[in-house]
């Protein structure tokens, strides 16, 4: 009983993470994730833990109830929130539709803790994206893509990765059309990334989209989207 309780205790997970903390790595992460004043990750606190080590800790707590995950999502430590989302994604792997609806509602209700690009990227496809695929209804991604909150807009774009993986790259193209004029660099990168992944499935559809819309897109979105194309085609798009 004591073991079962400990395996569900977010405070025990935090203790495990603290034992792995590294000040030098934390300092590097602080700079890499732009935590300075006015930057996108302002105020984020890092413990300095290698991603494989953090995931290994999270896996030991994969049965943690949602109340424990919520406790971690409101923590200031970036790795605590990462572990929370890793647990939620693990639980989502074999979830039913009703369970996925609950997980998605929980995720969006606690989205204030999903406040950096890596947190969005590990969770959006596996939570909201998966739910949209299961329901064959992608209106939630479109709604998020129109949000005033940058991280929610990135959720809408990166969440479409789940559709791409299921052979529906047209979903990503539709979301990209909503966000192609977005001024935020992190959104431009997400748009380009998802278009690149969609291109692997339907090259012509993505190229048709670029032909029609490249003049409206941020250069970073174009660069990301054409990375896998041959050199001649890449130069042609960049010259526009």
């Amino acid at each position: 009983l004591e073991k079962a309780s400990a395996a569900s205790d977010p405070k025990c997970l935090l203790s495990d993470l603290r034992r792995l903390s590294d000040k030098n790595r934390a300092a590097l992460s602080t700079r890499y994730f732009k935590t300075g004043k006015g930057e996108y990750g302002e105020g984020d606190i890092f413990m300095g833990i290698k991603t494989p080590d953090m995931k290994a800790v999270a896996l030991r707590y994969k049965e943690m109830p949602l109340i424990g995950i919520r406790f971690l999502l409101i923590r200031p430590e970036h790795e605590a929130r990462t572990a929370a989302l890793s647990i939620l994604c693990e639980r989502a792997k074999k979830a039913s539709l009703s369970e996925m609806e609950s997980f998605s509602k929980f995720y969006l209700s606690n989205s204030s803790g999903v406040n950096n690009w890596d947190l969005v990227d590990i969770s959006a496809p596996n939570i909201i994206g998966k739910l949209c695929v299961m329901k064959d209804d992608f209106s939630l991604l479109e709604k998020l893509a129109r949000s005033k909150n940058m991280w929610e807009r990135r959720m809408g774009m990166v969440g479409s990765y789940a559709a791409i993986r299921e052979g529906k790259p047209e979903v990503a193209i539709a979301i990209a059309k909503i966000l192609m004029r977005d001024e935020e660099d992190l959104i431009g990168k997400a748009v380009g990334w998802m278009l690149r992944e969609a291109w692997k499935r339907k090259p012509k559809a993505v190229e048709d989209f670029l032909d029609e819309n490249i003049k409206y897109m941020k250069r970073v979105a174009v660069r990301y989207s054409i990375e896998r194309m041959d050199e001649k085609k890449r130069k042609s798009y960049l010259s526009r």
Side-chain angles (χ1 to χ4, degrees), residues 2-15:
E2 288 180 0
K3 287 183 179 179
S5 177
S8 301
D9 189 344
K11 293 181 180 179
C12 291
L13 183 148
L14 273 176
S15 296

Side-chain angles (χ1 to χ4, degrees), residues 185-202:
D185 194 57
L186 285 173
I187 301 301
K189 289 178 178 178
V191 169
W193 173 25
M194 290 301 105
L195 286 176
R196 182 186 69 206
E197 297 305 312
W199 181 84
K200 295 176 184 177
R201 296 277 186 155
K202 286 189 177 179

Side-chain angles (χ1 to χ4, degrees), residues 90-100 103 130 134:
E90 185 65 27
R91 291 187 60 184
K93 285 182 178 178
K94 297 181 179 180
S96 65
L97 176 58
S98 62
E99 288 171 328
M100 285 306 305
F103 290 159
K130 180 178 178 180
M134 291 175 78

Side-chain angles (χ1 to χ4, degrees), residues 15-104:
S15 296
D16 288 348
L17 291 179
R18 290 188 182 113
R19 283 192 284 271
L20 296 169
S21 62
D22 182 302
K23 290 183 178 179
N24 292 329
R25 182 176 292 276
L28 290 172
S29 295
T30 296
R31 292 192 292 273
Y32 181 70
F33 286 98
K34 309 293 183 185
T35 63
K37 188 173 179 59
E39 295 181 310
Y40 63 74
E42 181 177 352
D44 210 348
I45 296 171
F46 284 83
M47 303 169 78
I49 303 171
K50 294 178 181 178
T51 299
D53 293 340
M54 183 283 304
K55 288 185 176 179
V57 170
L59 195 59
R60 296 203 295 270
Y61 292 83
K62 64 182 179 179
E63 302 302 326
M64 184 180 294
L66 294 182
I67 191 170
I69 297 174
R70 180 182 290 114
F71 173 86
L72 295 172
L73 277 174
I74 62 173
R75 293 292 305 179
E77 301 93 346
H78 188 95
E79 289 88 345
R81 303 197 303 282
T82 308
L85 294 169
S86 297
I87 294 168
L88 192 61
C89 290
E90 185 65 27
R91 291 187 60 184
K93 285 182 178 178
K94 297 181 179 180
S96 65
L97 176 58
S98 62
E99 288 171 328
M100 285 306 305
E101 287 175 333
S102 296
F103 290 159
S104 182

